[in-house]
Amino acid sequence: MAANVAVVLAGGVGKRLGSALPKQFLEVAGKMVIERAVDAFEQHPLIDEIAIVSNALYLSKMEEIVRKNGWKKVRKILKGGKERYDSSLSAINAYGHEDVNLIFHDAARPLVTPRIIDDITLALHDQDAVTVALPSADTIIEVDGDFIENIPDRSRLRRVQTPQAFKISTIRKAYDNALKDPDFKVTDDCGVVRKYLPDTPIYVVEGAECNMKLTYKEDTELLETYLRLREQLT
């Protein structure tokens, strides 16, 4: 079977957070966000290897964090690029034509659960592309300027999270096609597959509210609340 490689994407600079440090280095309940994210995959039995994609300015800091934590599964620290997709491409290129599954996860989602990693990894046994998502609790409107254009059926809408996982041949082919498009612009890896390999189904597994993304400073308080709840339940 193909090895499962978790690719932790930590190349962002966290402009919206208003912090001097990128958000992956902020502490939540005494531990860096990046440490919590990597720990989740380090401790999971279905993950064979971890690659961290870092902002080029923080490669040495990332190496120091890996040494400090003594992570055994971290085999690669890769340099990211200007755009999010540059970080994904860095991992795709690093694994060349190895027979692996790539499981992309935002470092800014430090509370990914073992159940989510279970579900997304096991789904790769018979799927080429998998994502994590939650139902939308709110009505979503589509607007034209300042006016409602459409109100989609909420029962069909989901809020996408990470991890997003792929057989490497699938995500490589999707990006090969995408890079030939002069108007290439997407926000995540499933978007690349959906647009440039439209005949490839993307399977959806259920996410979790605690698997939220750290975007704004006040999000750290909510993450700490989820951590306290998790500790009470274990």
Side-chain angles (χ1 to χ4, degrees):
M1 292 180 62
N4 293 316
V5 178
V7 179
V8 180
L9 302 170
V13 294
K15 292 178 182 177
R16 284 177 290 182
L17 201 69
S19 170
L21 273 178
K23 55 190 171 184
Q24 57 267 28
F25 300 122
L26 291 184
E27 288 193 2
V28 174
K31 203 166 191 177
M32 287 183 190
V33 169
I34 180 69
E35 291 176 308
R36 293 191 180 279
V38 175
D39 274 345
F41 294 99
E42 174 77 18
Q43 296 166 11
H44 199 285
L46 295 181
I47 299 300
D48 300 298
E49 185 173 332
I50 300 169
I52 301 173
V53 186
S54 172
N55 184 297
L57 297 175
Y58 296 97
L59 284 171
S60 60
K61 184 175 180 67
M62 199 66 74
E63 291 168 354
E64 178 187 332
I65 292 169
V66 172
R67 283 194 299 270
K68 183 189 81 169
N69 283 274
W71 290 318
K72 304 298 184 186
K73 293 182 182 178
V74 177
R75 309 285 171 77
K76 292 179 173 64
I77 301 176
L78 307 169
K79 185 169 70 172
K82 182 180 178 182
E83 304 294 339
R84 185 194 186 281
Y85 69 80
D86 291 320
S87 294
S88 297
L89 279 170
S90 182
I92 294 166
N93 293 333
Y95 285 91
H97 291 275
E98 295 182 46
D99 183 18
V100 298
N101 297 321
L102 295 182
I103 301 166
F104 295 98
H105 184 65
D106 296 327
R109 294 184 188 272
L111 301 185
V112 59
T113 67
R115 192 273 302 164
I116 288 175
I117 299 173
D118 273 341
D119 289 353
I120 203 163
T121 304
L122 293 173
L124 283 171
H125 289 177
D126 51 17
Q127 303 292 331
D128 292 334
V130 189
T131 193
V132 175
L134 280 175
S136 175
D138 299 314
T139 296
I140 305 297
I141 60 173
E142 182 181 346
V143 299
D144 182 4
D146 295 328
F147 296 90
I148 292 177
E149 178 77 10
N150 186 34
I151 303 178
D153 179 358
R154 189 175 68 185
S155 68
R156 293 173 55 85
L157 300 178
R158 299 292 184 272
R159 293 178 285 137
V160 176
Q161 300 181 328
T162 65
Q164 296 184 350
F166 311 89
K167 290 183 169 60
I168 192 170
S169 57
T170 297
I171 192 66
R172 185 192 302 112
K173 185 176 180 182
Y175 269 103
D176 285 346
N177 292 344
L179 293 175
K180 296 171 187 172
D181 179 2
D183 298 319
F184 170 49
K185 185 179 181 180
V186 292
T187 56
D188 67 358
D189 298 299
C190 278
V192 179
V193 173
R194 176 69 178 164
K195 185 170 183 179
Y196 296 100
L197 289 181
D199 293 330
T200 299
I202 302 173
Y203 186 74
V204 180
V205 302
E206 185 176 355
E209 291 292 348
C210 67
N211 186 33
M212 61 174 285
K213 189 174 183 179
L214 174 59
T215 304
Y216 302 103
K217 205 152 196 172
E218 54 267 30
D219 292 338
T220 58
E221 297 177 7
L222 187 52
L223 285 168
E224 288 177 357
T225 299
Y226 279 128
L227 272 170
R228 286 195 296 270
L229 288 171
R230 179 185 288 187
E231 289 166 2
Q232 291 171 9
L233 293 172
T234 56

